[in-house]
C-alpha cells in the first residue's frame, strides 16, 4: 500500500474516531443536562408540593388585596422606592424589576417605563435576577444596579436605563452588591461580594475599586448605620454561616455567630425596629421562625414563621395599618425556582396574624400613605404588577379593641 493510501486511511480513521468521541461527549453532555434539568425540576416540584397551593393560610378577612399598578415592561418586581427620585412632577414611586423600571404616580398610574439592556454582552435578551434603586449622587434622580445575580459583573444603569459602567473582578462571579454612602460624602459607594473567590470589594461611584478584603461565602451584603454613631457599616455573610461587620475602610469590627441554632445567617435583610426611627436590625429566616438581631448581633426577637426554611431571600418593612397605633411588621420570603413567595404580617406584639402563600415571585415591599388618615397600605411587588394590601375596617376595629 502506497503512502498516499495509508494517509487517506489514517485520516479517515482519525475522522471516525473524532466523530465517535464527539458523539460520546455529546451524549454524556446531553445526559448531564438531562440529569441537571431533572434535578432542578424535581426540586421545584418538591418545593411547590411542600408549600401547597396559593392561599391565605392565616388571617383571612384581616387584609384585602388589589392590583395597585400594572407594569408590563418591568418583569418580576425586585425593588420599590418612594420619594423624590425623578424630576418630573407627580412621580411618587419607582418600581424596578428583572427587565425594566416604571415611574408611578401616587395612585399607581404609570407615568413612564423603560426596558433595561441585556445583562450580558453575550446574550442579547438576558435579564437580571434582581435590580435595586439608588440615588447615587443624592440629586433626586435615581439610578439602578444589579445585585444577587451570580453574575460576572456589577452594572450601574442610568436613570434612562442605559449602562453607565460595569465592574468585573477576574473570573469570579458576583453574588451580591449593595449601594450606600460609607464615607459620609453624600455619594453612594458599592459593596460587592464575590463568594469565596474574590472576597468583598468597595467600588466608588465611578466604577473604580477602592479596596478589596478576602473572605469566604460572601453571599449577601448590606450597608447601614448599625450602632447609630452616624457612620455606615458594611455587613456581609462570611465563613461558617457567620456575619461580618466592616467599617468604611474595610477593617473588621465584629463577627457575629447565630444566636439561635434555628436561624440561617446566610440569608438576611434589614429593617428599622421597633419603629421608623429605630436603628436598623438584621432579620433572618430559619426553621419555621424569623429572627431579629440588633446592631451588636444579639437576638432581639423571634417570630413564628411556618414554612420559612424553604425560601431563599427575605425582605421586610414596617407598615402603619392603623391610625395612632404602633407599626406592624411585614416580611416577604421568596423561592425563585419554585415561583412562590410567602407574606407574613405581625402585629405590634410580634404575633403572626396574617400569612399568605403567593403563587409567583414576589421580592419587594414598600408602604403607601392613604391620604391624611395616618395609615398606610402595604405594597408587594409581583410579576409585572404591584399589589396593594389594606386592613379591613372591621379587622382594624377588632384589633384596636383587644
Amino acid at each position: 500500500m502506497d503512502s498516499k493510501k495509508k494517509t487517506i486511511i489514517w485520516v479517515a480513521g482519525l475522522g471516525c474516531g473524532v466523530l465517535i468521541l464527539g458523539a460520546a461527549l455529546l451524549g454524556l453532555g446531553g445526559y448531564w443536562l438531562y440529569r441537571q434539568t431533572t434535578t432542578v425540576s424535581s426540586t421545584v416540584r418538591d418545593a411547590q408540593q411542600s408549600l401547597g397551593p396559593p392561599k391565605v393560610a392565616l388571617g383571612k378577612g384581616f387584609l384585602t388585596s388589589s392590583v395597585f399598578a400594572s407594569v408590563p415592561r418591568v418583569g418580576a418586581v425586585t425593588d420599590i422606592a418612594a420619594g423624590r427620585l425623578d424630576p418630573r412632577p407627580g412621580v411618587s414611586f419607582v418600581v424596578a424589576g428583572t427587565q425594566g423600571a416604571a415611574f408611578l404616580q401616587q395612585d399607581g398610574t404609570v407615568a413612564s417605563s423603560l426596558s433595561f439592556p441585556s445583562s450580558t454582552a453575550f446574550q442579547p435578551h438576558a435579564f437580571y435576577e434582581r435590580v435595586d434603586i439608588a440615588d447615587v449622587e443624592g440629586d433626586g434622580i435615581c439610578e439602578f444596579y444589579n445585585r444577587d445575580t451570580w453574575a460576572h459583573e456589577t452594572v450601574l444603569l442610568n436613570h434612562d436605563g442605559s449602562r453607565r459602567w460595569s465592574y468585573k473582578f477576574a473570573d469570579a462571579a458576583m453574588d451580591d452588591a449593595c449601594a450606600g454612602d460609607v464615607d459620609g460624602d453624600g455619594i453612594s459607594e458599592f459593596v460587592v461580594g464575590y463568594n469565596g473567590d474574590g472576597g468583598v470589594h468597595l467600588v466608588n461611584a465611578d466604577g473604580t475599586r477602592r479596596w478589596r478584603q478576602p473572605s469566604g461565602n460572601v453571599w449577601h451584603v448590606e450597608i447601614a448605620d448599625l450602632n447609630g454613631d452616624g457612620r455606615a457599616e458594611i455587613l456581609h455573610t462570611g465563613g461558617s454561616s457567620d456575619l461580618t461587620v466592616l467599617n468604611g475602610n474595610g477593617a473588621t469590627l465584629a463577627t457575629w455567630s447565630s444566636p439561635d441554632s434555628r436561624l440561617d445567617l446566610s440569608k438576611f435583610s434589614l429593617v428599622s425596629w421597633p419603629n421608623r426611627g429605630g436603628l436598623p436590625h438584621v432579620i433572618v429566616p430559619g426553621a419555621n421562625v424569623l429572627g431579629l438581631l440588633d446592631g451588636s448581633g444579639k437576638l432581639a426577637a423571634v417570630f413564628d414563621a411556618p414554612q420559612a426554611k424553604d425560601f431563599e431571600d427575605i425582605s421586610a418593612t414596617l407598615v402603619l395599618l392603623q391610625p395612632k397605633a404602633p407599626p406592624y411588621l411585614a416580611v416577604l420570603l421568596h423561592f425563585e425556582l419554585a415561583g412562590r413567595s410567602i407574606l407574613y404580617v405581625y402585629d405590634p406584639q410580634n404575633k403572626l396574624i396574617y400569612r399568605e402563600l403567593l403563587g409567583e415571585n414576589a421580592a419587594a415591599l414598600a408602604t403607601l400613605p392613604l391620604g391624611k388618615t395616618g395609615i398606610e397600605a402595604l405594597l408587594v411587588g409581583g410579576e409585572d404588577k404591584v399589589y396593594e394590601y389594606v386592613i379591613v375596617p372591621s379587622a382594624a376595629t377588632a384589633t384596636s379593641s383587644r
Side-chain angles (χ1 to χ4, degrees), residues 9 17 60 184 221 255 296:
I9 293 173
K60 187 176 293 184
V221 297
T255 300
S296 63

Side-chain angles (χ1 to χ4, degrees), residues 93-306:
F93 291 93
V94 181
V95 176
T98 55
Q99 302 176 32
F103 302 89
L104 308 181
Q105 297 177 0
Q106 186 71 17
D107 62 357
T109 301
V110 178
S112 65
S113 61
L114 56 90
S115 295
F116 293 144
S118 170
S119 60
T120 70
F122 309 103
Q123 298 174 308
H125 302 294
F127 300 133
Y128 297 96
E129 290 183 23
R130 180 176 173 182
V131 174
D132 269 16
I133 302 160
D135 183 357
V136 177
E137 291 85 13
D139 57 2
I141 300 175
C142 71
E143 289 78 30
F144 309 94
Y145 67 99
N146 67 316
R147 64 180 299 177
D148 193 21
T149 61
W150 192 245
H152 281 277
E153 57 185 12
T154 308
V155 178
L156 179 64
L157 303 172
N158 291 311
H159 190 71
D160 62 2
S162 61
R163 280 196 178 209
R164 180 181 299 185
W165 52 254
S166 62
Y167 174 80
K168 182 178 179 181
F169 175 68
D171 294 323
M174 176 192 74
D175 270 38
D176 195 24
C178 181
D181 182 9
V182 301
D183 56 12
D185 65 351
I187 297 176
S188 294
E189 289 77 37
F190 295 81
V191 176
V192 186
Y194 283 98
N195 201 340
D197 296 325
V200 181
H201 299 213
L202 185 67
V203 179
N204 295 316
D206 62 0
T208 60
R209 187 173 74 207
R210 185 179 301 185
W211 51 253
R212 172 196 171 198
Q213 291 290 351
S215 185
N217 298 335
V218 187
W219 297 320
H220 190 82
V221 297
E222 293 288 350
I223 300 173
D225 180 4
L226 297 172
N227 55 20
D229 65 354
R231 296 188 297 270
E233 288 81 38
I234 297 165
L235 185 66
H236 69 84
T237 55
S240 303
S241 298
D242 293 335
L243 291 181
T244 300
V245 183
L246 307 177
N247 66 15
N249 296 319
T252 299
L253 299 178
T255 300
W256 301 352
S257 297
S258 177
D260 188 314
S261 60
R262 295 171 295 175
L263 301 178
D264 180 4
L265 299 191
S266 67
K267 313 160 189 178
F268 72 94
S269 187
L270 299 176
V271 62
S272 297
W273 187 263
N275 49 55
R276 292 275 171 79
L279 291 175
H281 279 55
V282 178
I283 187 164
V284 296
N288 298 315
V289 296
L290 300 172
L292 199 66
L293 281 59
D294 66 17
S296 63
K298 295 180 180 178
L299 191 62
V302 177
F303 306 86
D304 290 331

Side-chain angles (χ1 to χ4, degrees), residues 299-384:
L299 191 62
V302 177
F303 306 86
D304 290 331
Q307 300 177 301
K309 63 182 179 181
D310 293 321
F311 286 79
E312 295 178 336
D313 293 310
I314 181 170
S315 302
T317 188
L318 297 179
V319 54
L320 300 172
L321 292 177
Q322 296 193 75
K324 300 179 181 180
Y328 289 68
L329 173 66
V331 182
L332 191 62
L333 301 181
H334 91 281
F335 182 44
E336 185 176 355
L337 283 177
R340 296 293 180 87
S341 307
I342 290 187
L343 173 64
Y344 303 89
V345 179
Y346 300 88
D347 70 11
Q349 289 73 45
N350 300 347
K351 180 182 178 182
L352 177 62
I353 57 173
Y354 186 85
R355 178 167 66 95
E356 181 180 359
L357 177 64
L358 306 173
E360 60 186 300
N361 283 315
L365 290 173
T367 58
L368 170 68
L370 297 177
K372 298 180 179 180
T373 62
I375 63 175
E376 298 170 329
L378 177 68
L379 298 182
V380 177
E383 295 180 354
D384 291 319

